[in-house]
C-alpha cells in the first residue's frame, strides 16, 4: 500500500482529493509503465484513457491533438453509395479540362491556377456526387463556399454537365466580350453560378460561420425552416493564417452549429512555399479547432498506407509521421525510394526493418500519391461523419498533394501556384495517367484539346442523375421570383418632416426612432435585422431590447441584472437583434448573410448594421467589397460620425474619411444627411429601390451607407417646394437663401453659395448669419446629402457625352443660376466634397477636417481644423476678395476679430 505521506499534490491543485491513496496508486502505475515499457507506451495509454473518458462524457479537458493518422480507420469506412469507377472517370475529365482551360488561356497572359484544384478535386467531386444539396429540391439547398483558386475545376464540371460551352472556357479570365468567365467566384460577374465570393482569403471562413448562424436565426424566428440546409466551406491550410479565418470559431461551437462543415485542403503549401516548414500544420489546426470546441476529422492517408500501419506493431511509424516536419514531407514527394528509405525509415531501427519488407514501388505509391484527400472513399467517410455529428461544427483536415496528377514538374513544387501551363508532353503524360481517350492527333498545332465524353455518355448521364437526386445543379445562385415588399406606411417617415421644435435630437437618434417605427410595420417589420457590435446603448438602441429581443439559441438562461428596468436586457430564441459583441468583422459577416437572403433563401431581409463610423469601413472595407460582389442589399450606418463630433475620444475615434473610402465601392450609395427628415427620405427611397419597385435603369443590388451624428441639435422642418425629395436622394438641394432665412441683405450685397453636409451644415448656417450681420454678404445654404452620388451622376453624364448624348450633370442643374462662388464644407477631409469640384461651374473652394483627430471639445476641434462658422466666414471673404467683391482687408480683419 502506498504511503499517503509520499503523495506530492500540486500546490496549485485546489480540488479536494477524497482518496489520496488511490490517486497515488494511479500515479505509481504510470511511473511503472514508463520505466518498464518506455515513455511512448505510457503516453499511448494516457491518450487512450483520455479518449475513453471523453467518449464516456466525463468532464475532462479534451485532447488537443491526436496521432497523425486518419480519424476513421479503413475498417470503419462506410460503403460508398455510388459507382466509384464512374466517378473516377468523371473526375479525370474535370482534372483535364481545368488544366486545359488555364493552359489555353496562358497565351493571353491572363493567368490562372492549376495546382489547387488538382489537389482538391476529390474533395469537391465527392461532395457534388453524394452530399451537396441543390436549390431545386425542398428548401434552399446547401451553401457552398468554394476555394477561389479552385474555380477552374468548378468550371470544368459545369462544362461536363452542359452548363458551360467551349467558347466560355476559352474566355476564362476574359470577360470584356460578354461571354467570359471570371477568374474566381464572383456573383456579380457570373450571378447564375456563383453565390459567395471567397478569393479574398479569410473572408470565406468567417462568412460561412455567420451564414450557418443566420440560417439558424431564420429558422428560430419562423421566417424559413432551414434545418436541412448545410454550409460547406472549402479552405486552404495557408488561408487559415488569415485572422478572419479563425476569429469566429468559438461562436460556431458555442452555438452548436452542426449545420456547418469546414473542409481544409491540407496540401502543406501556401502561395510561395510550405505553410509550416518546420512544423505540422495539420496538428496545429487540429489543436486550434478542438480547443475551440469543434469536431475534428482527419483524412490524411490513402489505402496504400494500410499495409504499413499493419506492419507497425510498435508505434514507430506513427511516431515518425508525427515528428517529420511538413517541408520534409514535401521533399519526399519529389525524391526517389532510396532517399525515402534512408531519411524516413532509416532514422529508427524498427522502421528500417519494416522498410526491408516494402518494394520501391510501394514506398513511392505511399509517399508520392496516397493521401486521404485523393481517395473518394476516404473523403466520403469524412463527409458522412461530419453530417452525422451533432452538437458542434466539424472541420475535415484532408491531406493532399498540391499539383497532384499534373506530373512531377508540378507536384509539391514551391512555385506551382505560379505555374500557369503544361507542355504538350506533360498533357500526354497526364492523359495516360488518367486513362482518358484523347489521341495525339487531337493536339492540333500544339493546342491542348478540351475533353468531353459526349452529352449522352454514361459519365454525363451519371453526373446529371446524381445532381437531380440531390436537388439540381451546384454551385448555383437563384433569385427566386418574389413580390416586392410592400412599402411601410408614410406616417413613419412623415413624422420627421415637421422637425423637432425646441428638442435637440441627434441624427443617430433620429435613425433609431425611425427604425423603431418601421419594425412595428405589420407587413415588413419582421424582416428588419438590427445588427450592432456591442454599442447598442451608445447609439440609444436599448429601447429595442425588450420589444425585439436579442437573438440567442439558448434564449435567456439567467435573470438579467436590470430586470426591474423598463429597457431591460432581454435575450430570446426568436430574438430579432443580432448583438455581436466587439467584432466588426463578425457583424459585417452577419450583414452579408442577411443582405443576400433574398437570393440564398428567397426571403428578403432588411439588415441595418450600426457601428462607430471610424471602425466600419476602415476596419472591414474588404468585407464591404465582398458585400458588393455578393449583390447584398441593406443599410450600413456609420454612427458617431465626423472628425470633430466625438468629444474627448481622440485620434483613433475621429472619423474624417469613411465617406472617402466608401466612395471607392461601386455598390455603396454613400449619404451624409444633415437632418432627421433627410435620414427618413433616404431610408424610404432605399427601401423602394432595394426591396420595392426599382425604377427603370436602377440596380436594386446596392447597399446604403449613412453617416449619422451624436450631436443633439434642433431638427428643422422639411422645406416646402418641389424637388426637395429628389434633391435629397440625388445629393444636393438648396436648404435656404439669405432671404428665406429671415436675413435682409442689401440689394447689391455680394453673394456666396455655402454647401454643407452632415453636421457641417449647422456651421454653415451660423456662418450665413455672421456673413450677413457683420460683413454685408448674402449666403445661400445648400445641403449636400451625397457628394459621391453627385460625382457618379456627373461621371455618367460625361460618359453619355462621349456616346453623343446630351446630358447635364445634376449638380450643374441644381446650381444653375446660383450667384457667386461656391464654398463647400464637411466634417471630413477635403477630398470628400472635392469629388464634385470639376463639375461646378462657379468658382470652387472647400474646407475639411484633414489630418489626425484629437481630443478636445467640439468647438476647439472645429477651430483647430478650420471648419467652424468663423473659419467659414474667413474662407468666404477670401474667396469673394479674390473676385474683387469685398475688400482684401476684410479677410485680415475677420481673422483678427475671430482670433484665427
Amino acid at each position: 500500500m502506498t504511503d499517503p505521506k509520499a503523495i506530492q499534490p500540486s500546490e496549485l491543485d485546489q480540488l479536494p482529493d477524497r482518496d489520496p491513496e488511490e490517486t497515488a496508486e494511479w500515479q505509481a502505475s504510470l511511473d511503472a509503465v514508463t520505466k518498464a515499457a518506455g515513455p511512448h507506451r505510457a503516453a499511448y495509454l494516457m491518450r487512450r484513457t483520455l479518449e475513453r473518458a471523453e467518449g464516456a462524457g466525463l468532464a475532462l479537458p479534451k485532447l488537443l491533438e491526436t496521432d497523425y493518422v486518419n480519424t476513421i480507420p479503413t475498417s470503419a469506412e462506410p460503403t460508398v453509395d455510388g459507382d466509384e469507377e464512374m466517378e473516377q472517370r468523371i473526375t479525370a475529365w474535370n482534372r483535364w479540362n481545368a488544366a486545359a482551360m488555364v493552359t489555353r488561356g496562358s497565351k493571353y497572359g491572363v493567368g490562372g491556377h492549376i495546382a489547387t484544384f488538382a489537389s482538391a478535386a476529390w474533395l469537391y467531386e465527392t461532395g457534388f456526387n453524394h452530399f451537396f444539396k441543390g436549390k431545386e429540391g425542398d428548401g434552399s439547398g446547401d451553401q457552398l463556399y468554394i476555394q477561389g483558386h479552385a474555380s477552374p475545376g468548378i468550371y470544368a464540371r459545369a462544362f461536363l454537365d452542359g452548363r458551360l460551352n467551349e467558347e466560355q472556357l476559352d474566355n476564362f479570365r476574359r470577360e470584356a466580350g460578354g461571354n467570359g468567365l471570371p477568374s474566381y467566384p464572383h456573383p456579380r460577374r457570373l450571378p447564375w453560378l456563383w453565390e459567395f465570393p471567397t478569393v479574398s482569403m479569410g473572408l470565406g471562413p468567417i462568412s460561412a460561420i455567420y451564414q450557418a448562424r443566420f440560417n439558424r436565426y431564420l429558422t428560430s424566428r419562423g421566417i424559413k425552416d432551414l434545418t436541412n440546409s448545410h454550409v460547406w466551406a472549402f479552405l486552404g491550410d495557408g488561408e487559415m493564417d488569415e485572422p478572419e479565418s479563425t476569429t469566429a470559431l468559438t461562436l460556431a461551437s458555442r452555438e452548436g452549429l452542426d449545420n456547418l462543415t469546414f473542409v481544409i485542403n491540407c496540401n502543406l503549401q501556401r502561395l510561395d512555399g510550405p505553410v509550416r516548414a518546420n512544423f505540422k500544420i495539420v496538428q496545429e489546426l487540429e489543436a486550434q479547432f478542438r480547443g475551440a470546441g469543434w469536431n475534428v476529422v482527419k483524412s490524411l492517408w490513402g489505402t496504400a498506407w494500410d499495409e504499413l500501419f499493419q506492419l507497425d506493431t510498435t508505434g514507430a511509424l506513427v511516431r515518425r509521421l508525427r515528428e517529420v516536419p511538413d517541408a520534409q514531407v514535401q521533399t519526399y514527394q519529389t525524391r526517389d525510394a532510396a532517399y525515402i528509405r534512408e531519411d524516413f525509415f532509416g532514422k529508427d531501427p524498427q522502421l528500417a526493418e519494416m522498410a526491408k519488407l516494402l518494394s520501391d514501388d510501394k514506398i513511392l505509391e505511399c509517399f508520392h500519391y496516397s493521401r486521404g484527400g485523393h481517395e473518394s472513399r476516404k473523403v466520403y467517410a469524412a463527409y458522412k461523419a461530419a453530417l452525422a455529428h451533432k452538437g458542434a461544427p466539424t472541420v475535415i483536415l484532408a491531406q493532399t498533394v498540391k499539383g497532384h496528377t499534373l506530373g512531377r514538374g508540378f507536384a509539391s513544387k514551391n512555385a506551382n501556384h505560379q505555374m500557369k501551363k503544361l507542355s504538350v508532353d506533360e498533357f500526354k503524360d497526364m492523359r495516360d495517367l488518367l486513362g482518358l481517350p484523347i489521341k495525339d492527333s487531337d493536339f492540333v498545332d500544339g493546342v491542348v484539346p478540351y475533353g468531353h465524353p459526349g452529352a449522352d455518355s454514361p459519365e454525363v448521364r451519371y453526373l446529371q442523375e446524381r445532381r437531380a437526386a440531390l436537388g439540381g445543379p451546384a454551385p448555383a445562385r437563384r433569385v427566386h421570383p418574389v413580390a416586392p415588399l410592400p412599402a411601410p406606411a408614410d406616417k413613419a417617415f412623415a413624422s420627421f418632416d415637421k422637425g423637432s421644435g425646441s428638442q435637440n435630437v441627434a441624427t443617430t437618434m433620429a435613425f433609431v426612432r425611425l427604425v423603431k417605427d418601421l419594425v412595428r410595420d405589420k407587413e415588413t417589420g419582421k424582416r428588419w435585422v438590427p445588427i450592432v457590435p456591442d454599442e447598442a446603448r451608445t447609439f440609444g438602441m436599448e429601447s429595442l431590447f425588450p420589444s425585439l429581443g436579442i437573438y440567442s439559441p439558448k434564449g435567456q438562461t439567467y435573470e438579467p441584472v436590470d430586470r426591474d428596468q423598463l429597457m431591460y436586457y432581454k435575450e430570446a430564441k426568436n430574438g430579432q437583434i443580432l448583438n455581436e459583441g466587439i467584432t466588426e468583422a463578425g457583424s459585417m459577416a452577419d450583414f452579408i448573410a442577411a443582405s443576400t437572403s433574398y437570393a440564398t433563401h428567397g426571403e428578403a431581409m432588411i439588415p441595418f448594421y450600426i457601428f462607430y463610423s471610424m471602425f466600419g469601413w476602415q476596419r472591414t472595407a474588404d468585407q464591404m467589397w465582398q458585400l458588393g460582389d455578393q449583390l447584398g442589399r441593406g443599410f450600413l450606418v456609420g454612427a458617431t460620425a465626423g472628425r470633430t463630433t466625438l468629444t474627448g475620444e481622440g485620434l483613433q475615434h475621429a472619423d474624417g474619411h469613411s465617406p472617402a473610402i466608401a466612395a471607392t465601392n461601386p455598390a455603396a450609395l454613400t449619404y451624409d444627411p444633415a437632418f432627421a427628415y433627410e435620414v427618413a427620405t433616404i431610408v424610404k427611397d432605399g427601401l423602394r429601390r432595394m426591396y420595392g419597385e426599382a425604377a427603370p435603369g436602377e440596380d436594386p443590388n446596392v447597399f446604403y451607407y449613412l453617416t449619422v451624428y451624436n450631436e443633439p441639435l434642433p431638427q428643422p422642418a422639411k422645406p416646402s417646394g418641389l424637388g426637395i425629395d429628389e434633391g435629397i436622394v440625388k445629393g444636393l438641394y438648396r436648404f435656404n437663401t439669405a432671404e428665406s432665412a429671415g436675413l435682409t441683405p442689401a440689394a447689391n450685397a455680394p453673394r456666396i453659395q455655402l454647401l454643407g453636409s452632415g453636421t457641417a451644415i449647422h456651421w454653415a448656417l451660423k456662418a450665413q448669419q455672421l456673413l450677413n450681420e457683420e460683413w454685408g454678404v448674402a449666403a445661400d445654404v445648400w445641403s449636400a446629402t451625397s457628394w459621391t452620388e453627385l460625382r457618379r451622376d456627373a461621371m455618367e453624364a460625361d460618359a453619355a457625352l462621349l456616346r453623343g448624348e446630351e446630358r447635364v450633370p445634376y449638380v450643374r442643374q441644381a446650381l444653375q443660376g446660383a450667384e457667386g462662388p461656391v464654398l463647400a464644407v464637411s466634417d471630413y477631409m477635403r477630398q470628400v466634397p472635392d469629388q464634385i469640384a470639376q463639375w461646378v461651374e462657379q468658382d470652387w473652394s472647400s474646407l475639411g477636417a484633414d489630418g489626425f483627430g484629437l481630443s478636445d471639445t467640439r468647438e476647439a476641434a472645429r477651430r483647430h481644423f478650420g471648419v467652424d462658422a468663423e473659419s467659414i466666414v474667413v474662407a468666404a471673404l477670401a474667396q469673394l476678395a479674390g473676385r474683387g467683391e469685398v475688400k482684401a482687408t476684410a479677410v485680415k480683419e475677420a481673422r483678427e476679430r475671430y482670433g484665427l
Side-chain angles (χ1 to χ4, degrees), residues 646-663:
L646 196 56
T647 56
E649 293 287 351
L651 184 152
Q652 285 186 284
H653 284 65
D655 173 24
H657 55 282
S658 71
I661 304 174

Side-chain angles (χ1 to χ4, degrees), residues 868-891:
D868 60 353
E870 292 79 5
S871 298
I872 294 173
V873 169
V874 173
L877 293 174
Q879 208 170 358
L880 291 168
R883 293 161 58 93
E885 298 181 24
V886 300
K887 294 179 180 179
T889 56
V891 181

Side-chain angles (χ1 to χ4, degrees), residues 262-485:
F262 276 14
V263 182
I264 302 182
N265 178 18
C266 298
N267 56 34
L268 314 185
Q269 288 184 250
R270 54 189 179 204
L271 306 190
D272 294 317
V275 178
R276 293 289 184 273
N278 296 297
F279 306 94
K280 301 193 78 64
I281 186 60
V282 168
Q283 298 300 94
E284 179 182 321
L285 291 174
E286 179 184 27
Q288 190 170 21
F289 277 88
R290 286 174 69 89
W294 286 53
N295 176 46
V296 178
V297 177
K298 294 196 288 192
S299 183
L300 308 180
W301 309 111
T303 52
W305 283 83
D306 288 349
E307 180 182 344
L308 277 66
F309 288 123
Q310 289 170 1
L311 293 172
D312 180 29
T313 58
T314 64
L317 176 62
V318 173
R319 290 196 299 273
R320 181 68 178 135
L321 288 173
R322 185 184 179 90
E323 71 187 20
V324 175
D326 283 353
Q328 191 63 22
V329 173
Q330 188 176 343
T331 296
Y332 294 150
Q333 177 67 35
T334 64
R335 302 300 292 269
D336 60 21
Y339 177 88
I340 298 171
R341 284 182 187 278
E342 179 181 353
D343 191 85
F344 180 83
F345 293 96
K347 302 293 186 182
D348 185 298
Q350 294 172 319
L351 291 180
E353 289 300 312
M354 178 193 296
K356 294 177 182 178
L357 304 175
L358 304 174
S359 67
D360 285 356
D361 286 344
K362 181 65 176 181
I363 289 175
L364 293 179
E365 181 186 13
C366 288
F367 283 84
H368 284 188
Y369 307 111
S370 186
R371 300 290 187 272
H374 292 325
E375 295 186 15
S376 62
R377 62 178 59 194
K378 302 291 184 185
V379 177
Y380 184 91
Y383 287 5
K384 288 280 281 190
L387 293 179
H389 188 82
K390 300 302 177 186
T394 293
V395 60
I396 295 169
L397 304 175
Q399 187 164 254
T400 66
V401 175
K402 193 167 185 178
H404 183 61
T405 73
L406 298 180
R408 296 183 65 84
F410 266 82
S412 286
K413 293 297 179 67
N414 282 338
N416 63 19
H417 189 78
Q418 304 302 326
M419 297 163 69
K420 311 300 182 187
K421 60 182 179 180
L422 277 68
S423 68
V424 170
D425 288 340
E426 287 171 329
F427 265 110
K428 290 179 179 178
D429 289 342
M430 182 182 178
R431 170 200 62 190
D432 296 341
L433 176 65
L434 297 175
L436 292 172
I438 297 173
K439 302 186 293 293
D440 287 355
S441 59
D442 293 333
F443 292 82
V444 179
D445 297 327
V447 177
V448 57
Y450 293 119
H452 199 293
D456 196 39
S457 64
E459 292 91 338
V460 172
R461 288 201 306 272
Y462 180 89
L463 182 155
Q464 293 176 342
E465 288 168 1
R466 298 302 299 184
R467 289 311 315 159
L470 287 165
R477 181 177 181 272
R478 297 284 187 271
V479 179
H480 302 279
V482 292
L485 294 183

Side-chain angles (χ1 to χ4, degrees), residues 830-864:
R830 284 178 60 182
Q831 75 180 60
V832 173
D834 282 349
Q835 291 179 86
I836 67 170
Q838 72 185 82
W839 291 282
V840 174
E841 293 181 317
Q842 293 87 344
D843 291 342
W844 173 272
S845 184
S846 64
L847 296 175
D850 285 78
F852 289 111
L854 76 166
S855 299
D856 213 312
T857 64
R858 292 184 178 118
E859 293 75 15
R862 287 160 189 169
R863 176 57 58 90
H864 170 81

Side-chain angles (χ1 to χ4, degrees), residues 620-895:
T620 57
D622 196 12
Q623 287 177 291
M624 275 100 168
W625 201 265
Q626 176 192 10
L627 168 65
D629 190 348
Q630 202 167 319
L631 290 79
R633 306 170 183 174
F635 296 96
L636 296 174
V637 183
T640 57
R643 181 143 280 165
T644 69
T645 63
L646 196 56
T647 56
E649 293 287 351
L651 184 152
Q652 285 186 284
H653 284 65
D655 173 24
H657 55 282
S658 71
I661 304 174
T664 65
N665 191 310
L669 277 60
T670 304
Y671 287 90
D672 186 27
F675 305 122
Y677 67 79
E678 292 178 353
V679 172
T681 301
I682 293 164
V683 171
K684 180 180 180 181
D685 193 70
L687 290 172
R688 174 200 61 80
R689 176 170 178 170
M690 295 184 292
Y691 300 97
E693 296 285 358
E698 276 188 328
D699 183 4
N701 298 315
V702 294
F703 59 94
Y704 283 63
Y705 177 51
L706 280 70
T707 47
V708 293
Y709 298 83
N710 67 325
E711 186 172 12
L713 292 164
Q715 294 295 325
K718 180 190 287 190
S720 59
L722 298 175
I724 297 297
D725 284 0
E726 179 189 27
I728 292 172
V729 171
K730 288 191 172 182
L732 183 67
Y733 69 97
R734 182 154 45 197
F735 176 72
N736 69 18
T737 63
E739 292 77 9
S740 67
L743 307 176
T744 55
N748 60 347
R751 189 172 289 268
I752 190 168
Q753 308 299 316
L754 301 180
L755 277 59
S757 69
T759 198
I761 202 169
H762 297 282
W763 322 329
L765 289 168
K766 182 179 177 182
Q768 181 187 45
Q769 288 185 315
L770 292 174
L771 284 166
N772 179 76
E773 295 169 1
E774 300 184 12
W775 306 98
V777 172
D780 300 338
V781 176
W782 300 69
S783 180
T785 54
S786 180
W787 309 102
T788 302
E789 287 306 295
L790 291 172
R791 174 180 175 81
R792 288 176 178 169
D793 172 81
M795 291 173 66
E796 290 172 5
D798 285 354
L801 284 174
L802 293 177
R803 297 192 300 267
E805 304 170 15
E806 287 295 331
R807 182 176 163 191
V808 180
Y810 175 79
V811 63
R812 191 169 294 167
Q813 295 177 44
L815 290 171
Q816 187 175 11
E819 298 178 38
V822 168
L823 174 59
V825 60
S826 82
D827 205 12
Y828 298 95
M829 55 200 307
R830 284 178 60 182
Q831 75 180 60
V832 173
D834 282 349
Q835 291 179 86
I836 67 170
Q838 72 185 82
W839 291 282
V840 174
E841 293 181 317
Q842 293 87 344
D843 291 342
W844 173 272
S845 184
S846 64
L847 296 175
D850 285 78
F852 289 111
L854 76 166
S855 299
D856 213 312
T857 64
R858 292 184 178 118
E859 293 75 15
R862 287 160 189 169
R863 176 57 58 90
H864 170 81
F865 287 110
V867 293
D868 60 353
E870 292 79 5
S871 298
I872 294 173
V873 169
V874 173
L877 293 174
Q879 208 170 358
L880 291 168
R883 293 161 58 93
E885 298 181 24
V886 300
K887 294 179 180 179
T889 56
V891 181
K892 180 180 178 183
E893 183 184 347
R895 280 202 307 268

Side-chain angles (χ1 to χ4, degrees), residues 594-607:
S595 70
T596 54
S597 179
Y598 73 93
T600 308
H601 299 305
E603 294 287 349
M605 305 299 289
I606 311 171

